[in-house]
Amino acid sequence: MTVAVEGGALGWVERIRRSSGPVRFHQYTRFTLYSFAVSEAVLLTFWCVAQRGDLPVLTVLPLVALFTAHTVCHLLLCRAGLRYYLGSAGRPSRLTAVYVGSTVLGIAALHASIGAGVLDQGAVAASTWLLMFLAGPVLLTLSIRRSTLLTALVIAGSALSVAALDLPAEQTGYHVGTAVFGAVFFGFSYRCSGWMLRVVRELEAARETQARLAVAEERLRFGRDLHDVLGRNLSVIALKSELAVQLAQRGSPSAVDQMTEVQRIARESQREMREVVRGYREADLHTELVGARGVLRAAGIDCRIEDSGSGALAEPLQSALGWVIREGTTNVLRHADAGRCSVRLRAAGPVAELVMENDGVPGAGASTGGGSGLAGLRERLAALGGTLTGERRGDGTFRLTARIPARPDRGGGRGGGTDGDEDCGGRGER
């Protein structure tokens, strides 16, 4: 049972560690706010433990129950308040009222116990802690004006209650000052945390929208190119086919010439269409290098690129190496928890060499994958007389190396792009 619990906890931590930056930021911020509620519970628990020897059980147990209910309400309101602030749920009005009511009830119970002589003056500190945390979750569910007014009324009522106990003025001032400082600090922390989560979510949504627009724009451009290439030829084919039908009905031998012309135009259209599609399937080396650096840095990975003489390579070699960079970058993002990635390209000698190296390699016990991304790259490079190797090193890094003769003996094939799921972390055949 213990092993299962530990495995589940470790698996949960591992999932968080391997999640995207926005998800990790959301989890970190959310649990930071939860830790505030836990810290309140710890303070109140210490106070109850300190009072245990001086108070009867019938007095301590109601306070413990009240403080426990207040802490639970705090945690629930943090969760519901964040969901409301981010626009994924409705306003938790009842839960907010219960939380504020439990805070007021706890303060009133402590002050009444002091007045009745059941508790000493130290109980004022416990009521101060209740006030300190009040403004935090309330600012997630109410507007700044309403939450500030509500918090000010509760603090003012508590200050009047403490003043009515005939306690020293210094203690009353400490109570009010600490409550105001805590309300400002925790209110600012909760509100800013919610605001940052909202901004990160909006940025992530904008990035997804930008990606979808880029895909839509590429589709439109592809459609325009096909229309420009095939539109005129298809119109000519339709006209000449109609003319050939009319000539054939009249028994004219010119119908054969027209159909021969139709056949020629159809083959020409097929060739032009292949050229258009092939152009979309080629990978530009410089574009892939710049894109890899931008994508990896956007993912929080330090990317260093060394390019030496790539401009002198023939177009088939640049295209093949561009596909290696694209596949390697995809694998780093998908399967490695990398903090850095370096790309070194040397093309000055007789052999062009591309080396991609990243850290964040999973352990030796990681499961192997069955993707075909790198296998497709090996076939592409083999057509040019090149090789592709992957090596998991002892220092926790993975190195992907591609070598191609600068003057291949055979022309490269123009196979489709690879989008396999081999991992740059070494979880499978590289």
Side-chain angles (χ1 to χ4, degrees):
M1 187 63 159
T2 303
V3 175
V5 173
E6 290 180 354
L10 291 177
W12 178 80
V13 173
E14 184 68 14
R15 287 195 299 271
I16 294 297
R17 190 175 69 87
R18 292 193 172 278
S19 59
S20 62
V23 172
R24 282 185 291 181
F25 179 79
H26 179 83
Q27 298 292 346
Y28 168 78
T29 305
R30 185 160 59 95
F31 284 104
T32 298
L33 297 185
Y34 291 167
S35 68
F36 291 156
V38 174
S39 64
E40 179 190 25
V42 170
L43 289 174
L44 295 174
T45 301
F46 283 163
W47 181 84
C48 291
V49 171
Q51 300 295 321
R52 183 182 57 183
D54 301 331
L55 296 176
V57 177
L58 295 178
T59 303
V60 175
L61 288 181
L63 290 177
V64 172
L66 181 60
F67 293 156
T68 301
H70 185 271
T71 301
V72 172
C73 286
H74 192 167
L75 287 169
L76 293 177
L77 189 59
C78 282
R79 180 174 179 271
L82 276 178
R83 295 176 62 187
Y84 166 72
Y85 191 83
L86 296 177
S88 59
R91 186 196 303 272
S93 301
R94 293 184 179 179
L95 188 57
T96 303
V98 171
Y99 174 70
V100 175
S102 63
T103 302
V104 174
L105 181 60
I107 295 172
L110 290 171
H111 291 177
S113 299
I114 296 174
V118 178
L119 299 177
D120 57 17
Q121 299 179 0
V124 176
S127 64
T128 304
W129 296 333
L130 292 176
L131 286 174
M132 286 174 56
F133 293 92
L134 173 63
V138 172
L139 268 169
L140 294 175
T141 61
L142 302 178
S143 63
I144 295 179
R145 179 179 301 178
R146 294 179 62 186
S147 58
T148 302
L149 178 60
L150 177 61
T151 304
L153 289 175
V154 176
I155 292 177
S158 179
L160 294 176
S161 178
V162 172
L165 297 174
D166 294 330
L167 298 179
E170 294 80 4
Q171 190 168 3
T172 303
Y174 171 81
H175 172 73
V176 175
T178 305
V180 171
F181 173 79
V184 172
F185 174 78
F186 287 108
F188 179 81
S189 299
Y190 277 68
R191 188 80 176 193
C192 283
S193 297
W195 175 79
M196 287 189 294
L197 287 177
R198 179 187 290 177
V199 170
V200 170
R201 176 172 292 189
E202 291 176 353
L203 289 176
E204 188 68 13
R207 181 181 299 177
E208 294 177 359
T209 302
Q210 184 179 12
R212 288 195 297 268
L213 290 176
V215 172
E217 182 180 358
E218 187 69 10
R219 289 174 178 173
L220 290 175
R221 188 162 68 92
F222 186 73
R224 288 194 300 267
D225 289 348
L226 284 179
H227 178 271
D228 294 341
V229 170
L230 300 179
R232 179 186 62 84
N233 291 347
L234 290 177
S235 299
V236 174
I237 288 174
L239 291 174
K240 286 187 172 293
S241 299
E242 182 179 357
L243 178 59
V245 170
Q246 295 178 359
L247 292 175
Q249 291 175 347
R250 299 174 184 175
S252 174
S254 300
V256 177
D257 297 335
Q258 296 297 328
M259 291 306 300
T260 302
E261 183 69 11
V262 167
Q263 186 181 31
R264 184 191 66 79
I265 296 175
R267 289 177 177 175
E268 181 70 15
S269 300
Q270 186 179 28
R271 182 187 62 80
E272 292 179 353
M273 184 178 66
R274 286 175 179 173
E275 290 181 354
V276 171
V277 175
R278 183 181 298 119
Y280 278 86
R281 296 170 69 93
E282 293 293 339
D284 181 73
L285 180 57
H286 177 71
T287 302
E288 294 299 332
L289 285 172
V290 174
R293 178 169 53 191
V295 170
L296 292 176
R297 288 183 177 178
I301 302 173
D302 181 24
C303 181
R304 305 295 179 90
I305 294 179
E306 299 178 12
D307 185 2
S308 174
S310 64
L313 293 175
E315 182 179 349
L317 303 184
Q318 292 195 29
S319 177
L321 293 178
W323 279 111
V324 174
I325 294 173
R326 179 181 298 184
E327 179 68 19
T329 303
T330 302
N331 292 336
V332 171
L333 294 174
R334 284 184 176 179
H335 306 294
D337 187 25
R340 62 176 178 83
C341 180
S342 63
V343 181
R344 297 187 299 274
L345 177 59
R346 298 183 178 91
V351 176
E353 182 182 66
L354 172 67
V355 179
M356 291 190 68
E357 186 174 286
N358 66 278
D359 60 356
V361 179
S367 61
T368 60
S372 58
L374 298 185
L377 286 178
R378 289 190 181 98
E379 294 177 359
R380 181 185 291 270
L381 296 182
L384 298 172
T387 60
L388 180 71
T389 59
E391 175 188 7
R392 181 164 50 188
R393 313 183 71 187
D395 58 353
T397 61
F398 186 86
R399 176 177 292 178
L400 184 67
T401 305
R403 295 184 177 91
I404 309 179
R407 294 181 179 179
D409 296 334
R410 293 176 294 173
R414 297 185 180 273
T418 59
D419 190 20
D421 48 10
E422 301 289 347
D423 55 339
C424 256
R427 295 190 303 172
E429 183 188 0
R430 302 304 303 238

